[in-house]
Amino acid sequence: MGRLFSRKKPTGMPSAGDHSSAGMDNRFRDLFELIQHTERITTKIHGIPEKDAIFSIVEHELRKLTHNRALILLLEEDNKNAAIRFVTIPDKILKTIDATLGSSASKLTINMVNGTVMRRVIDTGETYSFKTIEWAKEIMPGPLAYTVAAITGHLRKTTIVSPLTVRGTVRGIFAMDSHEMVDIFLLSVKNLALHISAALEFAELNEKRDILEKELRRKEAAIRSIFMAAPVGIIVSENRTIIKINRRVCEITGYTEKELLGRNKFVLFNNETEFDRVGRELYGSHPGDERSSVETKMKRMDGVLIDVMLTASSIEGTDCTIVTLTDITERKRAERAFAESERNFRRMFEITSESVALLDPETNRFISANPAMCALFGYSEEEFRSLSPEDITPQEAKEIMRGAMATLAEGGNIPDHEGISVRKDGSKINVLVSNRHMLWHGKPVYHITFKNITTLKEIQEQLRKKSLEVIEFTNMVTHDLRKPLTTMKLVMDITGKGAFGALNDDGVEAIGAGLETAEYMQEMLEDLMACARLDAGKQELTIEETGYMELAGTVISRLKYQLEEKKIRVETAGEEVTVRADTKQLTRVPMNLVGNAVNYIGNGPDKRIRIGWERRDGAPVFFVEDNGMGIPPETQKHLFEKFKRGSNVSGIAGTGLGLAIVKGIVEAHGGSIRFESEEGKGTTFYFTLGRNDGRPPDAEER
């Protein structure tokens, strides 16, 4: 909405067409008043750095005009609309206009595209005069324009419109009303608009300068912060003289800032030769490069030499140079350690008696083979570099080898395993293969070792045959001895019962001793047979699911009378758990362990045996615990050996094979056994069943 201007006609003033001397005097008076105010405005706004202050001064001065009213519009960024900056129409008249428009006239935005009047001023940058009603009709409907013009007294008035131009671009419009002497007033309005434009241009330049200075200060502060906090040392030098450093330089060199500023950079070097070399490489070897780097040794304040990386850059247009200083002492130490490690590995690689080869995962070709490897397979190292694992693997073992290579490629580890390889001459050998991931000169490779176990396999086969012979012999001896032992027991039993007449006390005692000896011999034969089968690996297991606590209950029932005779209290621990095992063989484990505990419980007042299990790391651990006499320390390391018994069990019957049998059965199930014992306080045996982990009886198979 454009601002329309008016002044109330003073009493006795001539009309618009009155040319009397009094009217002319009044018109010259208005012009003189405008010129005076223009001079004051020009003086006051000269050098003002803020736009708002300029507009405030202009508005304040123009409000003092007796008859003429002024308006300033500022173009928005789209250059199509303008907003009122200020208007000097009296507030009383503005309120009447607001009531007529139904909104605040001083806050309206005027569309500058709809008409040609003010648009021409914006497009040409020239000052024009228009009948006020002409451009009023362009910014509001005709009837409303006449109404507003009538309220303000502008029906017959003229408005002079001049552009406000800042750096060659129209940024707004300055308008002032006139009724006579329009051409003379036009020059004064144009002159005032030019002064306002100049002041606005100065303010804008000042504003931009302030913004640039503020941004420059911000960037300088940021650069200073980066300079001081940089993780590398930064030295600024002029003609090799240090003029600025950051904190990191002091940390690296041990010097204070005061000790380095103003000194030649030579102070940081061990000798002149090295100083000259670094200078040549940094500034002489690559004259066309903007940056160059060199590694050297630098001398700290305490005399210690450190490894550093220096990078130099020239500051264009000056004799100054920026040198960055990076402490690479730890990196160089690590590089030297790595190089030494590789040299040591190479020496071991060359002299080890094991056959070792390195395989490239990308090409699946051997990249190196040590002398032992070459000797084992009959190839030279050069020949090995053209081979792959396929070339040293016989057809029947290729699938296994490929599976192992696939596992390695996926990043997995392969346990040491036995295999078959083929030598250059076509002969086959049994090998123990070990595969590992490693880095070789910074590149991932497979480290593969081969151990020739052909002779070992032959010895194992011989031992297997011997074991079978021992078992056959043991079976024969056991069978041959079992029959006469059975006959002896039968004769002694019926003799003891009086089949051949009554025996005196000595006879009864002799018969009892004989029966006891026969039973001991029979028990020993059974244990010997069990040990032979376990040692030979011929103990066949019939694996089935069985409840361990039920099995423990069976053991307790079988030993009921011995337990009651010695007044031993038995406790169980743990709910039922299902295990996969040979039930018959597994029963012998708690049977032997509880039987041992009964035999070696001693004569304490509160004799107790505890049998059960507990879960550790997700798997069951089974135990048999007693508070008996314990195992002497000197006996403990031999406890699972055949025929070994504690030094404190003399007079207690036993073959010395029970724990060896227990250990054999547990290991046959893939488990392990151990014990904890303190003499005089008791013993606890713990065992696991390896892959046959237990689970609750109702658990589903996964």
Side-chain angles (χ1 to χ4, degrees):
M1 175 69 190
R3 283 299 134 297
L4 309 176
F5 323 111
S6 71
R7 63 180 175 83
K8 199 169 184 178
K9 181 179 179 181
T11 305
M13 283 289 291
S15 65
D18 192 350
H19 297 287
S20 66
S21 60
M24 290 298 290
D25 289 344
N26 286 337
R27 290 194 290 275
F28 275 112
R29 183 195 63 195
D30 290 348
L31 179 61
F32 183 71
E33 183 183 47
L34 176 60
I35 292 171
Q36 284 183 316
H37 281 286
T38 299
E39 290 178 354
R40 282 198 297 272
I41 290 171
T42 301
T43 301
K44 288 186 176 182
I45 65 176
H46 179 71
I48 296 295
E50 294 90 16
K51 290 181 181 179
D52 289 342
I54 293 170
F55 288 129
S56 296
I57 292 170
V58 174
E59 180 181 9
H60 177 74
E61 291 298 327
L62 292 181
R63 280 187 178 277
K64 295 178 182 179
L65 292 175
T66 305
H67 301 108
N68 301 93
R69 307 301 177 197
L71 166 74
I72 284 185
L73 297 173
L74 292 183
L75 288 173
E76 296 182 348
E77 290 185 3
D78 60 7
N79 203 32
K80 297 178 181 179
N81 296 287
I84 298 171
R85 183 61 181 83
F86 70 79
V87 61
T88 62
I89 294 176
D91 292 339
K92 184 177 180 180
I93 296 177
L94 278 177
K95 289 180 180 178
T96 304
I97 296 173
D98 290 347
T100 303
L101 296 176
S103 61
S104 175
S106 61
K107 295 182 180 179
L108 292 178
T109 297
I110 300 172
N111 189 312
M112 308 298 285
V113 180
N114 292 338
T116 60
V117 177
M118 286 190 291
R119 189 74 237 176
R120 189 168 68 172
V121 176
I122 295 169
D123 293 340
T124 64
E126 298 293 332
T127 301
Y128 298 97
S129 62
F130 305 99
K131 289 296 182 180
T132 304
I133 191 64
E134 290 181 22
W135 63 278
K137 287 189 295 183
E138 290 187 351
I139 61 177
M140 66 182 74
L144 189 58
Y146 278 101
T147 301
V148 172
I151 293 172
T152 59
H154 278 79
L155 282 173
R156 294 186 178 87
K157 292 203 173 178
T158 299
T159 298
I160 300 170
V161 183
S162 186
L164 296 174
T165 304
V166 179
R167 291 194 290 173
T169 302
V170 176
R171 299 288 182 84
I173 289 176
F174 175 65
M176 182 172 282
D177 64 356
S178 173
H179 63 289
E180 296 291 347
M181 302 176 69
V182 173
D183 292 339
I184 299 175
F185 260 89
L186 186 144
L187 292 174
S188 297
V189 171
K190 181 177 180 180
N191 183 47
L192 182 54
L194 289 174
H195 284 296
I196 295 172
S197 295
L200 291 175
E201 185 167 332
F202 172 79
E204 186 172 291
L205 290 173
N206 187 72
E207 181 181 290
K208 288 184 176 296
R209 185 199 65 194
D210 289 344
I211 292 173
L212 291 173
E213 287 181 351
K214 184 178 179 181
E215 180 65 14
L216 182 60
R217 288 193 296 272
R218 186 189 69 80
K219 289 182 177 179
E220 286 178 346
I223 291 171
R224 280 195 299 272
S225 298
I226 294 170
F227 179 82
M228 295 307 295
V232 298
I234 303 176
I235 301 172
V236 181
S237 64
E238 186 173 12
N239 296 322
R240 297 194 175 187
T241 299
I242 300 171
I243 61 174
K244 193 169 184 60
I245 62 173
N246 68 349
R247 283 192 295 267
R248 183 61 180 145
V249 172
C250 298
E251 293 171 359
I252 293 173
T253 66
Y255 287 94
T256 65
E257 184 177 10
K258 185 177 180 181
E259 289 170 332
L260 287 178
L261 292 183
R263 300 185 68 178
N264 191 291
K265 287 186 290 187
F266 175 70
V267 69
L268 297 174
F269 287 84
N270 186 40
N271 55 64
E272 188 172 351
T273 302
E274 183 65 6
F275 179 65
D276 290 340
R277 181 190 72 83
V278 171
R280 286 194 304 273
E281 292 197 21
L282 281 179
Y283 309 113
S285 299
H286 310 283
D289 295 345
E290 293 185 0
R291 294 173 60 88
S292 54
S293 300
V294 63
E295 291 184 8
T296 184
K297 286 191 178 294
M298 187 168 280
K299 184 173 65 176
R300 285 174 46 90
M301 174 68 173
D302 55 12
V304 175
L305 293 178
I306 58 174
D307 292 293
V308 295
M309 169 75 78
L310 300 179
T311 301
S313 297
S314 298
I315 301 178
E316 188 176 353
T318 71
D319 292 328
C320 295
T321 303
I322 296 177
V323 177
T324 61
L325 173 65
T326 306
D327 186 350
I328 59 172
T329 304
E330 289 304 318
R331 193 195 80 189
K332 297 296 286 186
R333 184 179 294 117
E335 287 176 354
R336 288 190 290 269
F338 180 74
E340 180 62 23
S341 175
E342 286 206 335
R343 283 194 296 271
N344 290 337
F345 174 80
R346 188 70 202 185
R347 284 194 290 267
M348 290 187 291
F349 182 79
E350 296 291 344
I351 67 175
T352 182
S353 60
E354 287 193 340
S355 304
V356 183
L358 301 180
L359 183 73
D360 187 338
E362 295 181 359
T363 63
N364 199 35
R365 297 283 174 183
F366 293 107
I367 56 178
S368 186
N370 71 346
M373 183 78 171
C374 296
L376 176 62
F377 283 88
Y379 293 99
S380 67
E381 185 176 5
E382 185 65 30
E383 288 174 321
F384 253 114
R385 293 194 184 102
S386 64
L387 301 178
S388 73
E390 293 267 353
D391 299 317
I392 59 172
T393 305
Q395 189 62 41
E396 64 270 23
K398 285 187 185 295
E399 285 303 317
I400 298 174
M401 180 274 298
R402 290 166 185 161
M405 290 296 103
T407 301
L408 281 176
E410 293 170 0
N413 291 318
I414 304 172
D416 294 356
H417 58 282
E418 294 182 7
I420 302 174
S421 293
V422 59
R423 303 177 75 247
K424 183 178 180 179
D425 61 9
S427 60
K428 296 179 181 179
I429 53 174
N430 297 99
V431 291
L432 179 65
V433 185
S434 174
N435 300 275
R436 299 290 185 272
H437 296 272
M438 68 168 288
L439 289 177
W440 176 250
H441 297 297
K443 179 181 178 180
V445 299
Y446 301 149
H447 177 277
I448 307 176
T449 63
F450 293 82
K451 184 177 291 185
N452 188 354
I453 59 171
T454 304
T455 303
L456 178 62
K457 296 294 286 184
E458 292 173 353
I459 294 173
Q460 286 178 340
E461 179 60 22
Q462 293 174 7
L463 289 175
R464 187 187 68 80
K465 291 179 179 179
K466 289 293 182 183
S467 296
L468 291 176
E469 292 175 3
V470 170
I471 291 174
E472 290 176 3
F473 176 76
T474 305
N475 279 334
M476 181 183 67
V477 171
T478 302
H479 181 269
D480 290 344
L481 291 177
R482 189 175 289 147
K483 184 178 292 185
L485 275 175
T486 303
T487 302
M488 288 172 58
K489 284 177 62 180
L490 178 61
V491 171
M492 285 186 284
D493 185 48
I494 63 176
T495 301
K497 293 178 179 178
F500 303 108
L503 299 175
N504 57 20
D505 292 341
D506 291 337
V508 172
E509 183 178 350
I511 290 297
L515 280 172
E516 189 174 310
T517 300
E519 288 175 355
Y520 173 75
M521 289 181 65
Q522 193 167 23
E523 181 182 348
M524 179 173 285
L525 286 174
E526 294 295 334
D527 286 350
L528 282 171
M529 196 62 207
C531 285
R533 285 194 296 269
L534 289 169
D535 288 345
K538 291 299 181 179
Q539 181 63 64
E540 296 182 0
L541 301 178
T542 304
I543 301 298
E544 60 185 354
E545 290 190 352
T546 185
Y548 181 77
M549 295 309 293
E550 180 182 353
L551 183 148
T554 301
V555 169
I556 294 170
S557 297
R558 290 181 183 177
L559 298 173
K560 175 181 178 182
Y561 296 110
Q562 293 94 316
L563 293 168
E564 290 179 350
E565 180 182 358
K566 289 194 174 184
K567 298 180 180 179
I568 300 172
R569 177 164 50 90
V570 179
E571 299 174 356
T572 58
E575 300 295 328
E576 182 60 277
V577 61
T578 300
V579 296
R580 288 182 55 77
D582 185 312
T583 305
K584 180 179 178 181
Q585 294 298 326
L586 182 59
T587 303
R588 298 190 69 178
V589 176
M591 178 69 76
N592 282 11
L593 294 176
V594 174
N596 270 9
V598 170
N599 289 336
Y600 308 134
I601 197 69
N603 298 312
D606 180 25
K607 295 184 283 292
R608 176 179 54 81
I609 295 175
R610 187 165 170 262
I611 180 171
W613 69 281
E614 58 191 25
R615 192 170 293 277
R616 295 183 185 176
D617 298 327
V621 176
F622 307 95
F623 61 83
V624 174
E625 175 188 291
D626 68 64
N627 61 349
M629 62 180 65
I631 304 168
E634 67 273 11
T635 306
Q636 291 185 9
K637 62 181 178 180
H638 303 293
L639 196 63
F640 291 108
E641 296 177 14
K642 299 180 184 68
F643 307 111
K644 297 291 184 180
R645 306 182 67 203
S647 58
N648 59 346
V649 298
S650 59
I652 299 176
T655 64
L657 295 172
L659 291 179
I661 293 172
V662 165
K663 183 173 183 293
I665 293 173
V666 168
E667 290 178 348
H669 282 79
S672 61
I673 186 168
R674 66 182 183 86
F675 67 92
E676 296 174 0
S677 183
E678 186 174 351
E679 197 169 8
K681 292 188 177 180
T683 303
T684 303
F685 284 90
Y686 299 95
F687 68 93
T688 63
L689 296 177
R691 63 184 179 278
N692 303 298
D693 289 345
R695 55 189 175 84
D698 296 332
E700 295 183 0
E701 291 284 355
R702 293 185 179 180

